[in-house]
Amino acid sequence: MLDTSRQGDITDVMHQRVRGRAVVGMAQRAGRTVLKNLHQSGSAKALLPRVHRDWPEVVFLNTAGGLTDGDRLEYAVDVAAGGRLVATTQTAERAYAGVSGTARMDVSLVADKGAMLFWLPQETILFERSGLHRSTRVDLSPTSSFLTIETVVLGRAAMGEDLAHVDFVDRRDIRRDGVPALIDILRITDEDLADRGSAAGLGFHRVLSTIAFVAPNAEDRLSQVRRVLDTPHDGVMAAASAWDGKLVVRAVANDAWPMRQMTVRIIEELGGRTLPRVWQL
């Protein structure tokens, strides 16, 4: 029972914290990628919708509706040798304002020999005074392929929200055969938001996105991606580079919709017709 005898500030109230963990394992049987194991606990759920294509799809869901300080959420995917899987989230993840501390989200992804794993979560929306530290660890074999996107939206444009206080850390650690292939760390703090107009800042953009494709000969796809980037996308600024089996696209925009239109085209260029169904709703 909540103790209401004290009439202090909000920090006196004991809040219930979100805890969630969802783990999906996929096996390869008779030429098909099928579910091997599934674990769900707390607010984290994993759905496997019926799709009319060879690649199965996993949709992760946080039933708490968002994250705030002290919350902990874990997603994990393991795809066996030769498997094919598209994993996504049902909706945008929201990082809400907190009292103190940060929320934490950990994503673990494994693709065995010859497997193809696409981790395509929907946008992360940061609210004023939110704190979120996210870590994504990816373990690949030398012959597996991995495609991912992370898009971050700074505040709710429709509400006229202009962020001034936020603590956001997003770390991607992609390893090939145990050796680091791509280490990518993004941090946004109050100081960064105060200095957004500088040459090294965000240029007052509200949306930023990173797409990474790690696969044998990924650099051979660079010209295809640059053709997409050469097409105007209503205020989106983007660039792509590729080297040693890696291709990376970075983009900023003032609005989430043109950013999504551009990233959808890149995903389709790199991954074919594997766009998650929930992205199309």
Side-chain angles (χ1 to χ4, degrees):
M1 182 174 180
L2 182 65
D3 180 6
T4 59
S5 61
R6 297 177 61 190
Q7 299 297 319
D9 60 27
I10 192 171
T11 59
D12 292 334
V13 181
M14 293 298 294
H15 296 280
Q16 183 176 356
R17 300 305 184 192
V18 167
R19 295 290 184 272
R21 184 170 184 261
V23 179
V24 176
M26 306 298 290
Q28 191 73 356
R29 295 174 184 163
R32 298 178 59 234
T33 305
V34 297
L35 182 67
K36 179 176 66 175
N37 61 275
L38 171 65
H39 167 85
Q40 302 176 116
S41 62
S43 67
K45 308 299 178 186
L47 312 176
L48 286 86
R50 186 186 299 274
V51 293
H52 301 287
R53 62 187 180 202
D54 294 336
W55 289 49
E57 189 171 299
V58 172
V59 181
F60 288 99
L61 168 64
N62 175 16
T63 59
L67 297 169
T68 187
D69 58 303
D71 292 346
R72 298 291 182 268
L73 190 65
E74 296 179 49
Y75 295 146
V77 174
D78 189 328
V79 182
R84 305 286 187 269
L85 183 69
V86 178
T88 185
T89 54
Q90 188 182 53
T91 187
E93 188 62 71
R94 292 164 174 82
Y96 293 121
V99 177
S100 62
T102 59
R104 181 166 184 85
M105 182 175 180
D106 293 294
V107 180
S108 175
L109 308 168
V110 178
D112 207 341
K113 296 177 182 178
M116 300 183 73
L117 171 59
F118 292 178
W119 170 240
L120 307 174
Q122 299 197 61
E123 297 88 350
T124 298
I125 303 175
L126 303 180
F127 284 55
E128 173 67 358
R129 297 191 179 278
S130 61
L132 174 61
H133 290 185
R134 179 170 58 199
S135 175
T136 302
R137 168 69 183 258
V138 185
D139 288 290
L140 307 174
S141 84
T143 57
S144 54
S145 300
F146 176 70
L147 175 64
T148 187
I149 179 173
E150 290 289 359
T151 298
V152 180
V153 182
L154 303 176
R156 298 160 293 174
M159 303 291 291
E161 187 173 43
D162 191 13
L163 300 189
H165 303 285
V166 71
D167 179 5
F168 179 65
V169 178
D170 196 13
R171 177 186 176 94
R172 276 174 294 277
D173 184 349
I174 304 175
R175 295 172 182 262
R176 185 190 287 131
D177 203 22
V179 179
L182 182 64
I183 308 295
D184 191 32
I185 304 174
L186 169 67
R187 184 176 186 186
I188 303 176
T189 64
D190 298 1
E191 290 78 9
D192 300 310
L193 295 175
D195 195 30
R196 286 170 67 178
S198 72
L202 298 171
F204 298 106
H205 293 100
R206 285 183 172 271
V207 186
L208 52 153
S209 184
T210 299
I211 298 173
F213 182 50
V214 180
N217 302 317
E219 60 269 34
D220 295 343
R221 313 290 291 277
L222 182 60
S223 60
Q224 299 171 246
V225 170
R226 284 182 170 167
R227 281 196 293 270
V228 175
L229 300 185
D230 288 340
T231 303
H233 290 91
D234 193 16
V236 179
M237 296 176 58
S241 58
W243 71 104
D244 190 26
K246 300 178 282 286
L247 189 156
V248 177
V249 179
R250 300 191 191 276
V252 292
N254 295 318
D255 185 78
W257 178 241
M259 177 70 86
R260 174 173 280 223
Q261 289 179 306
M262 186 204 71
T263 55
V264 163
R265 287 196 59 195
I266 293 175
I267 291 169
E268 290 176 338
E269 194 69 42
L270 292 173
R273 303 182 64 180
T274 55
L275 192 70
R277 187 175 179 183
V278 292
W279 275 56
Q280 304 171 35
L281 301 179

